[in-house]
PDB file of all heavy atoms in Angstrom:
ATOM      1  N   SER A   1     -33.392  -5.544 -10.396  1.00 96.00           N
ATOM      2  CA  SER A   1     -34.064  -6.667 -11.055  1.00 96.00           C
ATOM      3  C   SER A   1     -33.401  -7.955 -10.597  1.00 96.00           C
ATOM      4  O   SER A   1     -32.169  -8.035 -10.524  1.00 96.00           O
ATOM      5  CB  SER A   1     -33.964  -6.551 -12.573  1.00 96.00           C
ATOM      6  OG  SER A   1     -34.388  -7.749 -13.198  1.00 96.00           O
ATOM      7  N   ASP A   2     -34.220  -8.981 -10.292  1.00 96.00           N
ATOM      8  CA  ASP A   2     -33.633 -10.250  -9.863  1.00 96.00           C
ATOM      9  C   ASP A   2     -33.285 -11.156 -11.046  1.00 96.00           C
ATOM     10  O   ASP A   2     -32.766 -12.245 -10.862  1.00 96.00           O
ATOM     11  CB  ASP A   2     -34.567 -10.982  -8.896  1.00 96.00           C
ATOM     12  CG  ASP A   2     -35.829 -11.512  -9.550  1.00 96.00           C
ATOM     13  OD1 ASP A   2     -36.097 -11.154 -10.710  1.00 96.00           O
ATOM     14  OD2 ASP A   2     -36.555 -12.285  -8.887  1.00 96.00           O
ATOM     15  N   ASN A   3     -33.565 -10.684 -12.272  1.00 96.00           N
ATOM     16  CA  ASN A   3     -33.218 -11.466 -13.463  1.00 96.00           C
ATOM     17  C   ASN A   3     -33.012 -10.510 -14.632  1.00 96.00           C
ATOM     18  O   ASN A   3     -33.912 -10.256 -15.424  1.00 96.00           O
ATOM     19  CB  ASN A   3     -34.320 -12.482 -13.781  1.00 96.00           C
ATOM     20  CG  ASN A   3     -33.889 -13.489 -14.842  1.00 96.00           C
ATOM     21  OD1 ASN A   3     -32.878 -13.311 -15.527  1.00 96.00           O
ATOM     22  ND2 ASN A   3     -34.680 -14.546 -15.000  1.00 96.00           N
ATOM     23  N   GLU A   4     -31.814  -9.973 -14.745  1.00 96.00           N
ATOM     24  CA  GLU A   4     -31.539  -8.976 -15.780  1.00 96.00           C
ATOM     25  C   GLU A   4     -31.453  -9.591 -17.160  1.00 96.00           C
ATOM     26  O   GLU A   4     -31.423  -8.864 -18.161  1.00 96.00           O
ATOM     27  CB  GLU A   4     -30.255  -8.227 -15.444  1.00 96.00           C
ATOM     28  CG  GLU A   4     -30.394  -7.350 -14.195  1.00 96.00           C
ATOM     29  CD  GLU A   4     -29.220  -6.413 -14.013  1.00 96.00           C
ATOM     30  OE1 GLU A   4     -28.143  -6.695 -14.602  1.00 96.00           O
ATOM     31  OE2 GLU A   4     -29.385  -5.398 -13.315  1.00 96.00           O
ATOM     32  N   ASN A   5     -31.381 -10.921 -17.270  1.00 96.00           N
ATOM     33  CA  ASN A   5     -31.438 -11.566 -18.576  1.00 96.00           C
ATOM     34  C   ASN A   5     -32.838 -11.457 -19.174  1.00 96.00           C
ATOM     35  O   ASN A   5     -33.013 -11.587 -20.389  1.00 96.00           O
ATOM     36  CB  ASN A   5     -31.048 -13.046 -18.463  1.00 96.00           C
ATOM     37  CG  ASN A   5     -29.585 -13.217 -18.125  1.00 96.00           C
ATOM     38  OD1 ASN A   5     -28.739 -12.449 -18.582  1.00 96.00           O
ATOM     39  ND2 ASN A   5     -29.283 -14.228 -17.327  1.00 96.00           N
ATOM     40  N   VAL A   6     -33.835 -11.233 -18.306  1.00 96.00           N
ATOM     41  CA  VAL A   6     -35.221 -11.100 -18.744  1.00 96.00           C
ATOM     42  C   VAL A   6     -35.647  -9.639 -18.801  1.00 96.00           C
ATOM     43  O   VAL A   6     -36.239  -9.189 -19.782  1.00 96.00           O
ATOM     44  CB  VAL A   6     -36.168 -11.895 -17.814  1.00 96.00           C
ATOM     45  CG1 VAL A   6     -37.632 -11.600 -18.149  1.00 96.00           C
ATOM     46  CG2 VAL A   6     -35.881 -13.382 -17.943  1.00 96.00           C
ATOM     47  N   ALA A   7     -35.366  -8.882 -17.719  1.00 97.00           N
ATOM     48  CA  ALA A   7     -35.773  -7.476 -17.672  1.00 97.00           C
ATOM     49  C   ALA A   7     -34.780  -6.678 -16.848  1.00 97.00           C
ATOM     50  O   ALA A   7     -34.312  -7.133 -15.799  1.00 97.00           O
ATOM     51  CB  ALA A   7     -37.168  -7.342 -17.078  1.00 97.00           C
ATOM     52  N   THR A   8     -34.475  -5.480 -17.318  1.00 96.00           N
ATOM     53  CA  THR A   8     -33.603  -4.567 -16.581  1.00 96.00           C
ATOM     54  C   THR A   8     -34.427  -3.377 -16.117  1.00 96.00           C
ATOM     55  O   THR A   8     -35.530  -3.127 -16.625  1.00 96.00           O
ATOM     56  CB  THR A   8     -32.441  -4.073 -17.455  1.00 96.00           C
ATOM     57  OG1 THR A   8     -32.979  -3.374 -18.587  1.00 96.00           O
ATOM     58  CG2 THR A   8     -31.588  -5.250 -17.932  1.00 96.00           C
ATOM     59  N   VAL A   9     -33.893  -2.624 -15.160  1.00 96.00           N
ATOM     60  CA  VAL A   9     -34.580  -1.434 -14.687  1.00 96.00           C
ATOM     61  C   VAL A   9     -33.552  -0.331 -14.482  1.00 96.00           C
ATOM     62  O   VAL A   9     -32.447  -0.567 -13.972  1.00 96.00           O
ATOM     63  CB  VAL A   9     -35.351  -1.710 -13.382  1.00 96.00           C
ATOM     64  CG1 VAL A   9     -34.434  -2.145 -12.251  1.00 96.00           C
ATOM     65  CG2 VAL A   9     -36.200  -0.505 -12.976  1.00 96.00           C
ATOM     66  N   SER A  10     -33.900   0.876 -14.914  1.00 95.00           N
ATOM     67  CA  SER A  10     -32.996   2.018 -14.783  1.00 95.00           C
ATOM     68  C   SER A  10     -33.237   2.741 -13.472  1.00 95.00           C
ATOM     69  O   SER A  10     -34.154   2.417 -12.718  1.00 95.00           O
ATOM     70  CB  SER A  10     -33.202   2.977 -15.964  1.00 95.00           C
ATOM     71  OG  SER A  10     -34.495   3.547 -15.897  1.00 95.00           O
ATOM     72  N   SER A  11     -32.440   3.755 -13.209  1.00 94.00           N
ATOM     73  CA  SER A  11     -32.518   4.488 -11.941  1.00 94.00           C
ATOM     74  C   SER A  11     -33.794   5.312 -11.811  1.00 94.00           C
ATOM     75  O   SER A  11     -34.119   5.765 -10.716  1.00 94.00           O
ATOM     76  CB  SER A  11     -31.299   5.404 -11.791  1.00 94.00           C
ATOM     77  OG  SER A  11     -31.243   6.334 -12.870  1.00 94.00           O
ATOM     78  N   ASP A  12     -34.515   5.505 -12.922  1.00 94.00           N
ATOM     79  CA  ASP A  12     -35.770   6.244 -12.841  1.00 94.00           C
ATOM     80  C   ASP A  12     -36.986   5.317 -12.876  1.00 94.00           C
ATOM     81  O   ASP A  12     -38.122   5.773 -13.004  1.00 94.00           O
ATOM     82  CB  ASP A  12     -35.872   7.280 -13.960  1.00 94.00           C
ATOM     83  CG  ASP A  12     -35.974   6.651 -15.346  1.00 94.00           C
ATOM     84  OD1 ASP A  12     -35.793   5.418 -15.461  1.00 94.00           O
ATOM     85  OD2 ASP A  12     -36.227   7.397 -16.317  1.00 94.00           O
ATOM     86  N   GLY A  13     -36.764   3.985 -12.797  1.00 95.00           N
ATOM     87  CA  GLY A  13     -37.862   3.025 -12.755  1.00 95.00           C
ATOM     88  C   GLY A  13     -38.320   2.534 -14.114  1.00 95.00           C
ATOM     89  O   GLY A  13     -39.356   1.868 -14.206  1.00 95.00           O
ATOM     90  N   THR A  14     -37.559   2.807 -15.173  1.00 96.00           N
ATOM     91  CA  THR A  14     -37.933   2.330 -16.500  1.00 96.00           C
ATOM     92  C   THR A  14     -37.515   0.876 -16.664  1.00 96.00           C
ATOM     93  O   THR A  14     -36.334   0.535 -16.558  1.00 96.00           O
ATOM     94  CB  THR A  14     -37.280   3.177 -17.598  1.00 96.00           C
ATOM     95  OG1 THR A  14     -37.703   4.539 -17.456  1.00 96.00           O
ATOM     96  CG2 THR A  14     -37.666   2.660 -18.975  1.00 96.00           C
ATOM     97  N   VAL A  15     -38.512   0.020 -16.934  1.00 97.00           N
ATOM     98  CA  VAL A  15     -38.267  -1.412 -17.105  1.00 97.00           C
ATOM     99  C   VAL A  15     -38.156  -1.721 -18.594  1.00 97.00           C
ATOM    100  O   VAL A  15     -39.020  -1.311 -19.389  1.00 97.00           O
ATOM    101  CB  VAL A  15     -39.413  -2.245 -16.486  1.00 97.00           C
ATOM    102  CG1 VAL A  15     -39.155  -3.742 -16.684  1.00 97.00           C
ATOM    103  CG2 VAL A  15     -39.575  -1.904 -15.018  1.00 97.00           C
ATOM    104  N   THR A  16     -37.120  -2.456 -18.975  1.00 96.00           N
ATOM    105  CA  THR A  16     -36.904  -2.830 -20.368  1.00 96.00           C
ATOM    106  C   THR A  16     -36.903  -4.346 -20.497  1.00 96.00           C
ATOM    107  O   THR A  16     -36.173  -5.033 -19.775  1.00 96.00           O
ATOM    108  CB  THR A  16     -35.580  -2.268 -20.904  1.00 96.00           C
ATOM    109  OG1 THR A  16     -35.594  -0.842 -20.782  1.00 96.00           O
ATOM    110  CG2 THR A  16     -35.360  -2.657 -22.356  1.00 96.00           C
ATOM    111  N   ALA A  17     -37.744  -4.861 -21.397  1.00 96.00           N
ATOM    112  CA  ALA A  17     -37.846  -6.302 -21.621  1.00 96.00           C
ATOM    113  C   ALA A  17     -36.683  -6.773 -22.491  1.00 96.00           C
ATOM    114  O   ALA A  17     -36.500  -6.291 -23.612  1.00 96.00           O
ATOM    115  CB  ALA A  17     -39.173  -6.630 -22.281  1.00 96.00           C
ATOM    116  N   VAL A  18     -35.895  -7.726 -22.002  1.00 96.00           N
ATOM    117  CA  VAL A  18     -34.696  -8.198 -22.694  1.00 96.00           C
ATOM    118  C   VAL A  18     -34.938  -9.535 -23.385  1.00 96.00           C
ATOM    119  O   VAL A  18     -34.561  -9.745 -24.540  1.00 96.00           O
ATOM    120  CB  VAL A  18     -33.522  -8.324 -21.712  1.00 96.00           C
ATOM    121  CG1 VAL A  18     -32.280  -8.870 -22.411  1.00 96.00           C
ATOM    122  CG2 VAL A  18     -33.223  -6.981 -21.062  1.00 96.00           C
ATOM    123  N   HIS A  19     -35.600 -10.459 -22.673  1.00 95.00           N
ATOM    124  CA  HIS A  19     -35.786 -11.807 -23.200  1.00 95.00           C
ATOM    125  C   HIS A  19     -37.027 -12.397 -22.564  1.00 95.00           C
ATOM    126  O   HIS A  19     -37.439 -11.987 -21.471  1.00 95.00           O
ATOM    127  CB  HIS A  19     -34.550 -12.674 -22.889  1.00 95.00           C
ATOM    128  CG  HIS A  19     -34.458 -13.907 -23.714  1.00 95.00           C
ATOM    129  ND1 HIS A  19     -35.128 -15.064 -23.407  1.00 95.00           N
ATOM    130  CD2 HIS A  19     -33.767 -14.172 -24.869  1.00 95.00           C
ATOM    131  CE1 HIS A  19     -34.869 -15.995 -24.320  1.00 95.00           C
ATOM    132  NE2 HIS A  19     -34.031 -15.465 -25.224  1.00 95.00           N
ATOM    133  N   THR A  20     -37.642 -13.350 -23.241  1.00 96.00           N
ATOM    134  CA  THR A  20     -38.851 -13.969 -22.694  1.00 96.00           C
ATOM    135  C   THR A  20     -38.561 -14.645 -21.360  1.00 96.00           C
ATOM    136  O   THR A  20     -37.491 -15.228 -21.156  1.00 96.00           O
ATOM    137  CB  THR A  20     -39.421 -14.996 -23.674  1.00 96.00           C
ATOM    138  OG1 THR A  20     -38.415 -15.967 -23.983  1.00 96.00           O
ATOM    139  CG2 THR A  20     -39.922 -14.335 -24.936  1.00 96.00           C
ATOM    140  N   GLY A  21     -39.517 -14.543 -20.453  1.00 96.00           N
ATOM    141  CA  GLY A  21     -39.366 -15.126 -19.118  1.00 96.00           C
ATOM    142  C   GLY A  21     -40.003 -14.220 -18.075  1.00 96.00           C
ATOM    143  O   GLY A  21     -40.840 -13.361 -18.393  1.00 96.00           O
ATOM    144  N   THR A  22     -39.613 -14.422 -16.830  1.00 96.00           N
ATOM    145  CA  THR A  22     -40.167 -13.617 -15.735  1.00 96.00           C
ATOM    146  C   THR A  22     -39.050 -13.034 -14.879  1.00 96.00           C
ATOM    147  O   THR A  22     -37.964 -13.607 -14.764  1.00 96.00           O
ATOM    148  CB  THR A  22     -41.089 -14.462 -14.839  1.00 96.00           C
ATOM    149  OG1 THR A  22     -40.339 -15.559 -14.290  1.00 96.00           O
ATOM    150  CG2 THR A  22     -42.281 -14.993 -15.609  1.00 96.00           C
ATOM    151  N   ALA A  23     -39.357 -11.899 -14.272  1.00 96.00           N
ATOM    152  CA  ALA A  23     -38.409 -11.233 -13.366  1.00 96.00           C
ATOM    153  C   ALA A  23     -39.198 -10.405 -12.367  1.00 96.00           C
ATOM    154  O   ALA A  23     -40.341 -10.016 -12.628  1.00 96.00           O
ATOM    155  CB  ALA A  23     -37.448 -10.342 -14.151  1.00 96.00           C
ATOM    156  N   ASN A  24     -38.594 -10.137 -11.245  1.00 96.00           N
ATOM    157  CA  ASN A  24     -39.183  -9.263 -10.233  1.00 96.00           C
ATOM    158  C   ASN A  24     -38.380  -7.977 -10.152  1.00 96.00           C
ATOM    159  O   ASN A  24     -37.157  -8.011  -9.959  1.00 96.00           O
ATOM    160  CB  ASN A  24     -39.200  -9.943  -8.864  1.00 96.00           C
ATOM    161  CG  ASN A  24     -40.257 -11.016  -8.772  1.00 96.00           C
ATOM    162  OD1 ASN A  24     -41.415 -10.783  -9.104  1.00 96.00           O
ATOM    163  ND2 ASN A  24     -39.872 -12.206  -8.331  1.00 96.00           N
ATOM    164  N   ILE A  25     -39.069  -6.863 -10.303  1.00 96.00           N
ATOM    165  CA  ILE A  25     -38.440  -5.551 -10.162  1.00 96.00           C
ATOM    166  C   ILE A  25     -38.763  -5.038  -8.754  1.00 96.00           C
ATOM    167  O   ILE A  25     -39.930  -4.990  -8.355  1.00 96.00           O
ATOM    168  CB  ILE A  25     -38.968  -4.555 -11.207  1.00 96.00           C
ATOM    169  CG1 ILE A  25     -38.736  -5.099 -12.615  1.00 96.00           C
ATOM    170  CG2 ILE A  25     -38.309  -3.195 -11.019  1.00 96.00           C
ATOM    171  CD1 ILE A  25     -37.275  -5.345 -12.960  1.00 96.00           C
ATOM    172  N   THR A  26     -37.732  -4.641  -8.016  1.00 95.00           N
ATOM    173  CA  THR A  26     -37.918  -4.187  -6.636  1.00 95.00           C
ATOM    174  C   THR A  26     -37.359  -2.778  -6.476  1.00 95.00           C
ATOM    175  O   THR A  26     -36.277  -2.472  -6.975  1.00 95.00           O
ATOM    176  CB  THR A  26     -37.211  -5.130  -5.648  1.00 95.00           C
ATOM    177  OG1 THR A  26     -37.756  -6.444  -5.787  1.00 95.00           O
ATOM    178  CG2 THR A  26     -37.404  -4.663  -4.210  1.00 95.00           C
ATOM    179  N   VAL A  27     -38.123  -1.945  -5.773  1.00 95.00           N
ATOM    180  CA  VAL A  27     -37.647  -0.613  -5.416  1.00 95.00           C
ATOM    181  C   VAL A  27     -37.484  -0.579  -3.904  1.00 95.00           C
ATOM    182  O   VAL A  27     -38.346  -1.047  -3.165  1.00 95.00           O
ATOM    183  CB  VAL A  27     -38.612   0.489  -5.901  1.00 95.00           C
ATOM    184  CG1 VAL A  27     -39.992   0.343  -5.302  1.00 95.00           C
ATOM    185  CG2 VAL A  27     -38.030   1.874  -5.634  1.00 95.00           C
TER     186      VAL A  27
END
């Protein structure tokens, strides 16, 4: 994730919303 303050991603591709805003998840 390029912005883990907004969204994180686990090793299986699960995205978790942390805070309002935008982020890019890349595999």
Side-chain angles (χ1 to χ4, degrees):
S1 169
D2 69 349
N3 191 347
E4 293 191 340
N5 292 324
V6 172
T8 60
V9 61
S10 66
S11 59
D12 67 351
T14 300
V15 179
T16 301
V18 178
H19 197 277
T20 56
T22 59
N24 286 310
I25 303 300
T26 300
V27 60

